[in-house]
Amino acid sequence: AQSVAQPEDQVNVAEGNPLTVKCTYSVSGNPYLFWYVQYPNRGLQFLLKYITGDNLVKGSYGFEAEFNKSQTSFHLKKPSALVSDSALYFCAVRDGGRRALTFGSGTRLQVQP
Amino acid sequence: DTAVSQTPKYLVTQMGNDKSIKCEQNLGHDTMYWYKQDSKKFLKIMFSYNNKELIINETVPNRFSPKSPDKAHLNLHINSLELGDSAVYFCASSQGQGASGYTFGSGTRLTVV
């Protein structure tokens, strides 16, 4: 069965500094990987995805993620954090057999002014 | 606007009542999902329909019954509501194998008192 691990419950970073939110996955076959963001009392907003091709994926709001097959990782990054990036971030992997997404436990990103 | 829309956004009800949550997507997707987000923000798949056919039915109480009248609609009916059913329920949709992504509704916050 597929699984996703987000090892950090919370990441704190100062505004203007680079940020990384970690994600590792376990899936049979080729993974479809996704990052979503959830602001308080809001739905899930799509940030970016990796399906195939270039290992560095660029997404919304200046975020990017690097797919690393050997380390089974898909870490989310941004070169310069904004206070408005503070939110809950979810990594997810598609279960090819069932099409549904399996989510990690989420990482709360706190960007301090 | 193209989207996944859920109604109602908030639902407060007493234990033992029966309630329904409606979901509609106008994206032309062939697969729809219900996810539950618990108080710890963990997201878990409940049900999935592909072209009106049930393809995922996770281990949820049989008080929960999904219904898909057509591929653009997926409703969730809950009988005999319990305190533990309090959560945020998200509807989502995708097309094919999900390579183009998954679109989520804004969620329904269910509170059982």
Side-chain angles (χ1 to χ4, degrees):
Chain A
Q2 72 291 336
S3 63
V4 179
Q6 292 182 244
E8 302 152 318
D9 289 337
Q10 181 154 326
V11 169
N12 297 309
V13 64
E15 188 173 30
N17 283 359
L19 69 88
T20 299
V21 182
K22 296 179 180 177
C23 171
T24 59
Y25 65 90
S26 174
V27 65
S28 57
N30 295 321
Y32 287 7
L33 294 158
F34 301 82
W35 276 101
Y36 285 84
V37 60
Q38 185 176 27
Y39 294 98
N41 299 315
R42 301 285 294 276
L44 292 162
Q45 296 180 31
F46 170 77
L47 280 179
L48 50 80
K49 64 182 178 183
Y50 172 84
I51 307 298
T52 187
D54 194 348
N55 289 344
L56 183 63
V57 178
K58 293 188 184 297
S60 306
Y61 313 120
F63 284 93
E64 58 188 30
E66 186 165 11
F67 171 64
N68 188 317
K69 188 172 183 178
S70 62
Q71 297 186 2
T72 61
S73 67
F74 189 56
H75 300 331
L76 182 70
K77 300 182 181 185
K78 188 173 183 182
S80 178
L82 299 172
V83 172
S84 58
D85 293 329
S86 299
L88 185 58
Y89 290 80
F90 289 96
C91 182
V93 65
R94 186 208 67 163
D95 173 358
R98 303 190 307 169
R99 304 190 186 191
L101 290 177
T102 295
F103 284 88
S105 54
T107 298
R108 190 165 300 281
L109 174 66
Q110 191 69 39
V111 181
Q112 284 115 11
Chain B
D1 286 346
T2 55
V4 177
S5 57
Q6 299 179 225
T7 54
K9 190 173 176 63
Y10 299 97
L11 186 53
V12 181
T13 187
Q14 292 186 327
M15 279 194 304
N17 283 351
D18 303 338
K19 290 293 178 185
S20 291
I21 306 171
K22 295 186 176 182
C23 179
E24 176 182 6
Q25 56 94 3
N26 60 4
L27 299 164
H29 288 170
D30 61 5
T31 307
M32 296 184 72
Y33 312 83
W34 278 111
Y35 282 85
K36 179 180 180 180
Q37 185 174 44
D38 63 22
S39 59
K40 295 185 177 180
K41 306 298 184 184
F42 191 70
L43 282 154
K44 185 172 168 52
I45 183 71
M46 298 174 68
F47 302 104
S48 176
Y49 271 76
N50 175 249
N51 287 322
K52 300 197 300 176
E53 180 183 347
L54 182 65
I55 58 171
I56 296 174
N57 186 353
E58 287 296 282
T59 310
V60 299
N62 57 16
R63 299 181 293 103
F64 289 77
S65 55
K67 284 188 171 53
S68 182
D70 56 62
K71 74 173 190 176
H73 296 84
L74 180 61
N75 303 322
L76 183 65
H77 189 75
I78 315 170
N79 290 327
S80 303
L81 278 154
E82 300 177 357
L83 293 176
D85 297 331
S86 296
V88 180
Y89 294 84
F90 285 102
C91 179
S93 70
S94 69
Q95 176 62 31
Q97 295 301 313
S100 58
Y102 296 71
T103 303
F104 283 79
S106 56
T108 295
R109 182 175 295 275
L110 172 65
T111 303
V112 182
V113 297

